[in-house]
Amino acid sequence: MKLPEGRKGRAPELEAAGEVPHVLLAAEAASISGEADAKSSPSAISVWNKRARADIRLSFLIHDVSRMRRAAYEQVMRPHGITRAQWWILAHLSRHDGMMQTQLADILEVGKASLGDVITNLVCAGLIERRLDPSDKRARRIFLTRKAQSLISEMAAIEVRFNTRVFGALSTSERSRLYKSLLAVKHAISELPLDDNLKVSDAALDD
């Protein structure tokens, strides 16, 4: 399996996608090309110091890695007739079968409406089923079907091979440090005073 490679000139691509503010792209381009020289204003020089430029490059790298992994993962899953979002839900239900949809949305940190669309597709595919909650007739719980159980075993093996290739260059301790670092970044983002429409918990699941 050949994993998709990153594209050159990604800054304009991100700008077009609305992922990165234009002012950051301009500042980063200037810092890399050396255009932020003595002609720049004193305030600009103080803001775009060495650490600031490194943080911007790290932000771009995180975005690139996420985009590339997502594209590669979708490519791996496509021959098996399942999307990344669907596999995400099935994998979680394999550990916590019988959850309510609202609980699943909270744990996966996705919008309830987006999750509902993916679940509906999984029901139509015969991979999960909704059942009434015995203690609350208004609530429904989500359960894996027998068909899903066999699929999960197959997909789990595929994911192990995929992750082995992706993280193969990292030692166990490096993986552990990377995991902890990304958790810290995730926590910092979750603490930002964002508008309700931008909160991480309201992110949509792409099916």
Side-chain angles (χ1 to χ4, degrees), residues 28 49-61:
E28 174 64 355
N49 55 32
K50 184 176 180 180
R51 179 165 182 173
R53 293 196 300 271
D55 287 346
I56 293 173
R57 287 194 292 270
L58 178 57
S59 297
F60 284 171
L61 178 61

Side-chain angles (χ1 to χ4, degrees), residues 9-191:
R10 55 186 175 276
E13 173 190 343
L14 298 184
E15 181 182 2
E19 297 289 351
V20 182
H22 175 75
V23 64
L24 293 184
L25 292 169
E28 174 64 355
S31 67
I32 294 176
S33 64
E35 293 174 8
D37 52 17
K39 295 182 180 180
S40 303
S41 66
S43 60
I45 294 176
S46 64
V47 170
W48 304 113
N49 55 32
K50 184 176 180 180
R51 179 165 182 173
R53 293 196 300 271
D55 287 346
I56 293 173
R57 287 194 292 270
L58 178 57
S59 297
F60 284 171
L61 178 61
I62 291 174
H63 181 279
D64 268 359
V65 170
S66 176
R67 175 181 57 79
M68 290 175 64
R69 186 191 184 281
R70 177 174 176 172
Y73 201 69
E74 290 282 8
Q75 182 176 316
V76 170
M77 294 295 183
R78 192 175 301 119
H80 303 276
I82 189 170
T83 67
R84 176 189 57 87
Q86 291 171 341
W87 169 237
W88 192 20
I89 292 173
L90 293 176
H92 192 82
L93 286 175
S94 69
R95 299 186 297 273
H96 306 280
D97 202 15
M99 296 187 66
M100 287 192 290
Q101 184 169 320
T102 53
Q103 293 175 319
L104 188 59
D106 290 340
I107 292 175
L108 297 181
E109 297 182 331
V110 298
K112 294 180 177 61
S114 297
L115 179 64
D117 292 339
V118 182
I119 287 178
T120 297
N121 290 335
L122 288 171
V123 170
C124 294
L127 296 172
I128 63 174
E129 59 184 17
R130 296 185 177 102
R131 303 178 193 169
L132 292 176
D133 188 328
S135 61
D136 185 356
K137 298 301 183 182
R138 296 170 301 176
R140 289 178 179 268
R141 294 187 174 274
I142 304 169
F143 291 87
L144 295 171
T145 63
R146 185 171 300 178
K147 178 181 178 181
Q149 296 288 356
S150 60
L151 176 64
I152 287 173
S153 297
E154 177 186 358
M155 299 307 296
I158 293 173
E159 181 162 12
V160 168
R161 292 195 297 270
F162 177 85
N163 288 333
T164 297
R165 291 196 61 183
V166 171
F167 299 117
L170 302 179
S171 66
T172 300
S173 60
E174 287 173 330
R175 296 180 196 192
S176 178
R177 288 196 297 271
L178 176 60
Y179 179 78
K180 292 177 180 178
S181 296
L182 290 176
L183 276 182
V185 173
K186 180 181 178 181
H187 175 72
I189 294 174
S190 70
E191 294 295 310

